[in-house]
Each structure stands twice: as structure tokens, then as C-alpha cells.
Amino acid sequence: MWETGVSRGGNGSAGQAVADGAPAVPAQACDLVTVPARQGLEAVDILRLRDGVGPVLHDGTCDTLGFLVPAGTAAGWDVPGSACTQTSGRGIALGALCGEGEGTAAQPPVTGTGWLVPPEGAGAEATDPAVLREALGEAARTIEAVDRCQ
């Protein structure tokens, strides 16, 4: 299994095991919020320490991170510097991402990406959009403060 260094605890069921040892992951449809990697990494740390983070993708060039959020988020997403995409016209089925074999890491749903936080290691089913919005804002303010001090 791919260890990410991200806490497996949290308030969701994605990190909990069921009787046969497979991760308990719901069949929740998801949209994808994409942000610059630096801001996304800060947000992952904030979410991991507070509210739990759902599955997170990183692109092959490590320029962006993608947070899986509940389907329908794209319709109202308006956070500057980010984009929310309705995936595959109907959303990614989160439960299908973990349906591989026992001991096999879930394959990312987007070509050219890898998991920063895989579904089986996430602390939430999908990242709550309101909580993600707050974390991204805090991350942007932290980055701005750091950059002013350099």
C-alpha cells in the first residue's frame, strides 16, 4: 500500500477498515477542485490537522493538486486561483476508485496524475467544499505572509 504520510484518522469512513480488510469507501460521486501545488499542499496540511482531507491528486509535473469534492460543487465554486470541474459529466464514483484488488493501491481517475492522498488513506470521503474554501484562503494568506518576509 502507498504510504503518504497523511493521517488516516478523521471524521469520514474512507480510512476505516471493514471485516475483510478492504477500505470502506462509499460510492459517492465527486467533482474536482484544482489549485496550484504550493497552495494545495498548505491546504492539505491545514485540513489534515483539523477537519480531515478527502482524496487528493497531484499532476505529473507537480504544478497542481486536485481535491475530490462532492458532486455538484462545480456549479457554485468561485474561489479565485482555483477551478472546480464536474468530472466525466457525472462525477467520479469514489467507491469505484478502491474496487481494485486487496493490497492494490487505487488507480487515479485522471491520466497523468498520482495520489497525494489516496482514497484508502483519506480522512474523509470527499473534502467538504466549505472547509476546503476556508483552508485554501488560509493557505493563500500564509503563502503571502511568507513571501513578504523573504
Side-chain angles (χ1 to χ4, degrees):
M1 180 165 291
W2 180 6
E3 292 294 329
T4 63
V6 174
S7 171
R8 291 180 182 269
N11 56 11
S13 61
Q16 298 173 350
V18 292
D20 66 0
V25 180
Q28 176 183 8
C30 295
D31 289 345
L32 185 69
V33 172
T34 307
V35 299
R38 186 175 179 201
Q39 183 180 13
L41 290 169
E42 287 287 337
V44 166
D45 283 344
I46 291 165
L47 291 167
R48 182 178 56 88
L49 293 171
R50 294 188 187 155
D51 301 306
V53 63
V56 180
L57 293 164
H58 66 85
D59 67 5
T61 60
C62 297
D63 291 329
T64 61
L65 293 185
F67 292 82
L68 294 181
V69 294
T73 300
W77 190 258
D78 62 352
V79 177
S82 68
C84 187
T85 307
Q86 183 180 19
T87 56
S88 302
R90 295 182 311 273
I92 296 170
L94 186 54
L97 297 178
C98 290
E100 324 264 317
E102 184 177 328
T104 303
Q107 293 299 308
V110 181
T111 303
T113 65
W115 290 114
L116 177 66
V117 181
E120 64 271 13
E125 297 169 357
T127 302
D128 180 287
V131 173
L132 178 58
R133 180 185 310 270
E134 291 176 26
L136 289 172
E138 185 175 338
R141 291 186 297 277
T142 299
I143 290 167
E144 184 178 328
V146 168
D147 288 349
R148 276 196 313 259
C149 292
Q150 293 179 348

